[in-house]
């Protein structure tokens, strides 16, 4: 009970501190072949609007798609549509997983697999902030090459044997650790690669065969790990594998792109992901989002709200 109350208060305080996001203007939406996809629940709407508007300010293009986990209210959907005209809001129950696990955000990866047949897709978690220029992301989109934000400070795209060996002596029973340890045991191609990235911010190139690749990988992992493969965290492993094996893929490295670990934000950080326990730990997320909203309002006032990249 105390944990639920504390969590509710944290979201309330964030929403209150960031209510000025509703003073920002609805963004312009183009018909480019770039889709920014996010899965939302009822607690994340204000967070999502800040994330979406800061990312759009830096990229200046794209259309938005929200996967509703079933908890969004009609008022929340109307609020999202006001700020993001032409946004698609898709019920999670309507997504065909086609053999992929249920839950644990697998539905969004199944939808990404469908969308990448015709579009470049950026998966953006609601707890992210684009603070300043992100040219590495813009370049990957322009050249139709995939990316992922780093999961560890030294994350790199590497042979699966290297990733597997790294986990060999890790005693954790978390599904990600077990799956990474099993990478050399599931009959992958000799040239297969992996990256310990984070699916909270990742780009999937158009035509990159996400569907066939991730379904084959998931089937192999399910055979190796059984029911463990359905646990939370397995989707991130699938996302990491897909990105690592896409031509031209890169890792967005720290500290410029950062999964916030707590403490001071480095001055050269351009993109932040406030993951898990650190999200509300010391007020940094709330303050950073507030400053980002102020920057949005200033840019709208002086007419510099978009940094357009070449189509």
């Amino acid at each position: 009970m105390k944990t639920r109350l504390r969590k509710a208060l944290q979201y309330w305080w964030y929403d209150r501190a960031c209510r000025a996001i509703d003073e920002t203007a609805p963004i312009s939406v183009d018909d480019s072949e770039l889709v920014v996809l996010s899965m939302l629940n009822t607690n994340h709407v204000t967070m999502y609007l800040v994330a979406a508007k800061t990312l759009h300010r830096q990229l200046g293009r794209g259309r938005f798609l929200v996967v509703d986990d079933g908890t969004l209210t009609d008022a929340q959907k109307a609020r999202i549509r006001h700020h993001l005209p032409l946004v698609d809001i898709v019920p999670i129950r309507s997504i065909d997983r086609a053999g992929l696990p249920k839950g644990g955000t697998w539905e969004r990866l199944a939808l990404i697999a469908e969308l990448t047949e015709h579009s470049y897709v950026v998966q953006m978690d609601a707890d992210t902030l684009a603070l300043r220029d992100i040219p590495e992301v813009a370049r990957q989109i322009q050249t139709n090459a995939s990316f992922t934000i780093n999961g560890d400070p030294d994350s790199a795209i590497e042979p699966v044997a290297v990733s597997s060996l790294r986990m060999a002596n890790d005693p954790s029973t978390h599904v990600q650790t077990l799956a990474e340890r099993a990478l050399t045991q599931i009959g992958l191609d000799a040239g297969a690669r992996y990256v310990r990235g984070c699916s909270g911010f990742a780009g999937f190139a158009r035509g990159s065969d996400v569907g066939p690749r991730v379904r084959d990988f998931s089937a192999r992992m399910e055979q190796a790990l059984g029911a463990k493969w359905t646990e939370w965290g397995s989707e991130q492993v699938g996302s990491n594998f897909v990105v690592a094996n896409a031509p031209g893929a890169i890792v967005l490295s720290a500290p410029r792109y950062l999964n916030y670990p707590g403490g001071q934000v480095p001055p050269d950080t351009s993109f932040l992901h406030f993951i898990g326990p650190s999200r509300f730990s010391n007020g940094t997320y709330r303050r950073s989002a507030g400053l980002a909203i102020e920057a949005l309002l200033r840019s709208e006032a002086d007419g510099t709200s978009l940094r357009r990249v070449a189509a």
Side-chain angles (χ1 to χ4, degrees):
M1 177 66 75
K2 289 182 179 179
T3 299
R4 288 198 301 271
L5 179 60
R6 182 171 61 251
K7 187 175 182 180
L9 286 172
Q10 288 171 334
Y11 281 115
W12 177 86
W13 184 239
Y14 175 92
D15 287 356
R16 184 176 184 276
C18 296
R19 61 188 182 275
I21 192 64
D22 286 314
E23 299 174 19
T24 61
I27 67 166
S28 60
V29 178
D30 62 29
D31 58 357
S32 70
E33 295 179 345
L34 168 63
V35 177
V36 180
L37 181 150
S38 304
M39 182 180 289
L40 294 188
N41 69 44
T42 192
N43 292 320
H44 294 165
V45 175
T46 299
M47 294 163 53
Y48 170 69
L49 291 175
V50 179
K53 288 197 167 187
T54 57
L55 182 65
H56 192 265
R57 183 187 178 209
Q58 300 305 330
L59 296 180
R61 59 184 294 201
R63 55 192 175 93
F64 291 89
L65 189 154
V66 167
V67 176
D68 173 12
D69 76 346
T71 63
L72 295 181
T73 66
D74 288 343
Q76 289 175 326
K77 294 175 189 176
R79 184 183 178 204
I80 294 169
R81 290 188 176 108
H82 167 74
H83 284 281
L84 310 175
L86 305 182
V87 64
D88 289 324
I89 301 179
V90 177
I92 192 171
R93 64 181 179 275
S94 70
I95 298 172
D96 182 7
R97 300 189 316 279
L100 292 175
K102 180 180 180 180
T105 68
W106 274 102
E107 287 82 2
R108 73 182 182 191
L109 190 51
L111 186 54
I112 288 168
E114 178 182 332
L115 292 168
T116 50
E117 293 179 11
H118 305 289
S119 302
Y120 191 106
V121 181
V122 171
Q123 184 345 79
M124 179 199 74
D125 275 6
D127 52 0
T128 57
L129 287 174
L131 301 176
R132 50 185 65 89
D133 288 351
I134 47 175
E136 298 86 355
V137 174
R139 183 174 61 247
Q140 293 301 102
I141 295 171
Q142 286 178 270
T143 59
N144 192 39
S146 300
F147 69 82
T148 181
I149 193 171
N150 59 90
D152 293 327
D154 59 349
S155 294
I157 295 173
E158 59 193 13
V160 294
V162 176
S163 296
S164 182
L165 182 61
R166 195 188 313 279
M167 294 294 108
N169 297 316
D170 191 321
S172 172
T173 59
H174 189 277
V175 64
Q176 182 166 353
T177 302
L178 297 180
E180 290 170 352
R181 193 182 303 158
L183 284 168
T184 56
Q185 304 166 18
I186 59 175
L188 296 171
D189 293 342
R193 298 173 295 176
Y194 184 77
V195 58
R196 193 165 238 258
C198 175
S199 60
F201 189 57
F204 300 84
R206 182 178 63 254
S208 53
D209 293 328
V210 174
R213 194 184 303 275
V214 74
R215 288 186 174 92
D216 175 74
F217 180 75
S218 178
R220 292 172 185 272
M221 277 296 176
E222 186 175 11
Q223 186 173 16
L225 301 183
K228 188 74 177 180
W229 182 239
T230 65
E231 293 184 5
W232 181 274
S234 59
E235 180 270 346
Q236 179 158 274
V237 178
S239 174
N240 290 342
F241 180 78
V242 168
V243 170
N245 288 281
I250 65 167
V251 182
L252 303 175
S253 58
R256 186 171 177 83
Y257 297 84
L258 192 64
N259 282 303
Y260 179 67
Q264 187 95 12
V265 176
D268 53 347
T269 298
S270 291
F271 189 94
L272 280 167
H273 181 207
F274 287 88
I275 191 168
S278 66
R279 185 178 300 157
F280 299 118
S281 60
N282 57 14
T284 297
Y285 181 26
R286 185 175 66 248
R287 290 190 296 271
S288 298
L291 291 172
I293 294 168
E294 291 177 8
L296 285 169
L297 289 168
R298 285 196 303 270
S299 69
E300 291 174 1
D302 65 20
T304 60
S305 58
L306 297 182
R307 291 185 170 90
R308 287 256 170 221
V309 295

